[in-house]
Amino acid sequence: MAAHVHERPLGGAILTPAFKFLLALCGVWVLLVLVRLVWGLNGPFGYDTLLGVSAQSDGYAWGIWKPLNVVTFTGISAGAFAIGLLTYGFNKGEYHPLVRSAVMAGAMGYTLGGTSIMIDLGRYWNLWVIFVPSWLNWNSVLLEIALCVLAYTLVLWVEVAPSILEKLQASATPATAARAKGILGGLKKVMPFVISLAILLPTMHQSSLGGLFMVAHTKTHPYWHTGWLPALFLMTCLTMGFGAVVVIENLTTIAWGKKLDQALLARVSVVPAYILVAYIVIRVADVFWRFRDPVILARFESMGSPLFYGAFFLLELVLFGVAAAMLFNRKLRENRGTLFGAGLLLLFSGALYRFDTYLVAYQPGAGWKYFPTPLEILFSITLAAIGVTVYVLFVKLFPILSGVEATTAPGGQKSAASH
């Protein structure tokens, strides 16, 4: 069991050239949002595959805004859920050094996913009605997802709050330090309830993100449309979450030279390997079982392009299978480079499955086509840049990362940090 490593702020200069570049991307995102809010989703030039803010249409009403900005980004952000479930749900306290970084990444990912939904709404000015219970459709799966995501985002920021309060406790202003100490004490008392919500809420909405497509049985290819959709989405959010933790731990080590606990990452990475095997068994057995039904076979034939859909289906299985094989091999897990590669595979395979279900396997009807515009892709890139910017700012200012041996002062001098 690894010794517990306390979290420390990285410190150092904030406005580095890389950070200024990220701020510039954030500025581009603000401009795109203004254009979308003023001229609509297609922008000032109307429906245009080159200059439009989005290529969304009545057939493809979600474009990549839901599959990427919400469904994939929240899957990547599920590291907080995966590590929290293991640490608190299964009482594996040895993984606690990974919690704060995962929660910070999760808070940003879910905030950005929720923000994207609000900007994507056709009549965003009516968003306030979600706070009037008597006007809501309580039979809507989308409503359950919206409320769960909203509540979980709030819960994640509450989980981030101790890092901020610990820093404020060391404030030179006695009143600020005393107030932070008092709030932190109260927060610690309710934290078990907060953590319980942090495990319950993603279980609900991540499974519902899959359940949402069960209503589209005539428009979703039979390779992907199944009653197992809620379970498969829940499993992929866990594998993506574990993958995100491995990738983020490695990237923060590369960027700032913090200490990486490779042995800890190797041990935790066995968990997604078992989930991957369960996923593959369910996925393959389900297809063989359902394709005995003549109705399913008729739908398969009516949707056409069997090689196209078959290639994506097999690609998913290969990626999941290779990731599982790598993670079951102890030597590969203990090697930093191969474990980093396996982490990337966990992210990419889960993202591909979610993208396929929401976009590739979806046929709205004859005549509809969709491909994202350059500005639509730029919106997603700049949205992700906001997440990286805020994450970098927080890990430099507050005790979030473990393995930071000394905090760097703005002038470049290192000093032991108190926390």
Side-chain angles (χ1 to χ4, degrees), residues 211-248:
L212 188 64
F213 260 69
M214 290 182 69
V215 298
H217 68 281
T218 60
K219 297 182 178 179
T220 307
H221 195 277
Y223 278 150
W224 285 271
H225 188 275
T226 165
W228 284 93
L229 272 168
L232 294 173
F233 266 68
L234 188 59
M235 295 166 84
T236 52
C237 98
L238 287 171
T239 57
M240 291 176 76
F242 282 113
V245 168
V246 170
V247 170
I248 291 173

Side-chain angles (χ1 to χ4, degrees), residues 382-399:
T382 52
L383 184 70
I386 295 174
V388 176
T389 305
V390 177
Y391 180 88
V392 170
L393 183 65
F394 269 64
V395 299
K396 286 197 170 187
L397 293 178
F398 303 112

Side-chain angles (χ1 to χ4, degrees), residues 95-109:
Y95 301 116
H96 196 273
L98 304 172
V99 169
R100 284 196 174 183
S101 174
V103 168
M104 183 63 228
M108 273 318 303

Side-chain angles (χ1 to χ4, degrees), residues 12-173:
I14 300 294
L15 291 176
T16 62
F19 195 81
K20 289 177 183 176
F21 177 69
L22 287 171
L23 287 177
L25 292 178
C26 297
V28 172
W29 180 83
V30 172
L31 290 176
L32 289 172
V33 170
L34 289 175
V35 172
R36 177 269 173 269
L37 295 180
V38 173
W39 284 284
L41 279 167
N42 291 139
F45 305 102
Y47 184 85
D48 190 300
T49 55
L50 184 62
L51 298 176
V53 178
S54 171
Q56 292 180 64
S57 61
D58 289 342
Y60 286 95
W62 288 352
I64 61 170
W65 293 56
K66 298 291 189 304
L68 179 60
N69 302 345
V70 179
V71 180
T72 301
F73 279 5
T74 59
I76 295 171
S77 306
F81 174 44
I83 292 297
L85 184 64
L86 197 61
T87 304
Y88 303 111
F90 291 91
N91 198 28
K92 298 290 184 182
E94 63 182 297
Y95 301 116
H96 196 273
L98 304 172
V99 169
R100 284 196 174 183
S101 174
V103 168
M104 183 63 228
M108 273 318 303
Y110 271 82
T111 302
L112 296 178
T115 304
S116 178
I117 290 175
M118 287 189 280
I119 296 168
D120 182 24
L121 287 176
R123 297 178 180 178
Y124 55 85
W125 53 86
N126 285 333
L127 183 64
W128 61 273
V129 303
I130 199 171
F131 298 106
V132 184
S134 60
W135 291 0
L136 300 181
N137 176 11
W138 292 102
N139 294 318
S140 168
V141 178
L142 265 180
L143 176 67
E144 185 260 326
I145 294 172
L147 293 177
C148 267
V149 168
L150 191 65
Y152 184 51
T153 304
L154 180 63
V155 165
L156 283 168
W157 282 110
V158 171
E159 288 187 289
V160 171
S163 301
I164 302 170
L165 292 168
E166 285 175 13
K167 180 68 180 291
L168 292 177
Q169 277 189 134
S171 170
T173 307

Side-chain angles (χ1 to χ4, degrees), residues 231-413:
L232 294 173
F233 266 68
L234 188 59
M235 295 166 84
T236 52
C237 98
L238 287 171
T239 57
M240 291 176 76
F242 282 113
V245 168
V246 170
V247 170
I248 291 173
E249 284 295 313
N250 275 276
L251 291 180
T252 52
T253 299
I254 293 169
W256 297 301
K258 82 177 187 70
K259 187 178 179 182
L260 181 74
D261 194 338
Q262 183 65 31
L264 187 72
L265 287 179
R267 285 198 300 277
V268 79
S269 297
V270 175
V271 180
Y274 284 104
I275 299 174
L276 288 171
V277 170
Y279 171 92
I280 293 170
V281 169
I282 291 173
R283 195 92 165 83
V284 173
D286 172 67
V287 168
F288 274 105
W289 179 262
R290 284 186 300 106
F291 272 61
R292 298 176 307 118
D293 187 342
V295 176
I296 299 294
L297 284 175
R299 195 186 309 152
F300 172 79
E301 291 173 1
S302 69
M303 286 198 159
S305 306
L307 291 178
F308 173 78
Y309 291 113
F312 273 97
F313 177 73
L314 288 177
L315 179 60
E316 284 178 18
L317 292 180
V318 169
L319 291 176
F320 280 116
V322 171
M326 292 174 72
L327 294 176
F328 271 121
N329 187 308
R330 183 175 177 179
K331 287 186 177 178
L332 293 181
R333 284 201 318 275
E334 291 176 346
N335 180 282
R336 184 175 164 185
T338 51
L339 184 59
F340 181 65
L344 289 174
L345 268 180
L346 288 175
L347 289 178
F348 188 70
S349 56
L352 180 64
Y353 169 68
R354 288 166 172 242
F355 234 85
D356 284 350
T357 305
Y358 269 68
L359 209 54
V360 175
Y362 183 67
Q363 286 191 11
W368 293 109
K369 290 182 179 179
Y370 170 79
F371 193 82
T373 68
L375 291 180
E376 201 168 1
I377 297 171
L378 184 62
F379 178 91
S380 296
I381 293 172
T382 52
L383 184 70
I386 295 174
V388 176
T389 305
V390 177
Y391 180 88
V392 170
L393 183 65
F394 269 64
V395 299
K396 286 197 170 187
L397 293 178
F398 303 112
I400 290 172
L401 292 181
S402 61
V404 179
E405 296 180 342
T407 298
T408 305
Q413 297 175 329

Side-chain angles (χ1 to χ4, degrees), residues 159-213:
E159 288 187 289
V160 171
S163 301
I164 302 170
L165 292 168
E166 285 175 13
K167 180 68 180 291
L168 292 177
Q169 277 189 134
S171 170
T173 307
T176 301
R179 194 172 296 118
K181 186 177 181 181
I183 297 173
L184 185 59
L187 196 56
K188 286 181 178 177
K189 291 179 182 176
V190 301
M191 198 51 82
F193 302 101
V194 174
I195 291 172
S196 299
L197 282 174
I199 293 175
L200 172 66
L201 291 171
T203 305
M204 293 172 63
H205 69 253
Q206 285 291 345
S207 57
S208 294
L209 284 173
L212 188 64
F213 260 69

